[in-house]
Amino acid sequence: MTASAAVQLASVRLVTDDIPRLVRFYKVLTGATPQYLTEDFVELVTPSATVAVSGSARVAFITPNTPRGGANNSAIIEFLVDDANAVYERLATDFGDDLDVVQHPTMMPWGNLSALVRDPDGSLVNLYTPVTPEAWQLQRNRTPKPPHAGM
């Protein structure tokens, strides 16, 4: 077994002080049904990985730098979507003025249509769709694989 086959990203866990608000955002975004494993630990399972949400108390045993909700300013959570415009519009419709838009859908130099928003705790979220043949080729070499053939 090669090292790349032995290690797989299983989930991203977000720590928050407002579980219902953050779960609602990721439910609208992914369409996944929240699975409450406990009252303070929720998983939203997508085809390629799981978005987990937990309360701050769930990770209080990690010391001295306990993760805390709303403290992320160094990562971007990226979602490959069939239609970045449509997902962006769904979020904009559902959350209205409460949606923190960083970048409206924009064509990136490498060929992805990308929209950037912040989740309710401030984590940066990228919604992207490969558009050009080059972008589709890049995605074919990544996980998750494109849901359809693309260009």
Side-chain angles (χ1 to χ4, degrees):
M1 183 180 294
T2 66
S4 62
V7 177
Q8 296 183 52
L9 178 63
S11 69
V12 172
R13 186 188 317 185
L14 302 168
V15 177
T16 185
D17 292 325
D18 192 339
I19 292 170
R21 180 179 68 156
L22 204 57
V23 167
R24 178 174 174 259
F25 176 85
Y26 284 99
K27 177 182 178 184
V28 171
L29 170 60
T30 66
T33 300
Q35 298 175 23
Y36 283 79
L37 305 182
T38 65
E39 66 183 23
D40 64 348
F41 187 83
V42 184
E43 292 185 337
L44 295 103
V45 179
T46 76
S48 60
T50 297
V51 177
V53 177
S54 70
S56 299
R58 177 65 50 194
V59 293
F61 63 91
I62 302 171
T63 58
N65 295 315
T66 300
R68 31 183 224 289
N72 176 18
N73 198 24
S74 65
I76 302 173
I77 304 166
E78 298 190 308
F79 290 90
L80 169 64
V81 299
D82 282 340
D83 184 340
N85 280 317
V87 175
Y88 171 81
E89 288 301 325
R90 183 172 69 231
L91 290 170
T93 298
D94 203 273
F95 293 98
D97 291 340
D98 290 334
L99 183 64
D100 184 354
V101 178
V102 176
Q103 172 186 283
H104 295 275
T106 302
M107 182 59 69
M108 304 309 290
W110 47 89
N112 286 341
L113 182 65
S114 174
L116 292 165
V117 299
R118 290 197 182 275
D119 74 15
D121 274 1
S123 295
L124 198 55
V125 176
N126 180 28
L127 313 167
Y128 76 94
T129 302
V131 175
T132 66
E134 296 81 12
W136 278 106
Q137 186 56 47
L138 283 171
Q139 192 62 48
R140 283 186 199 97
N141 294 329
R142 295 181 180 146
T143 302
K145 300 296 182 205
H148 49 76
M151 295 186 158

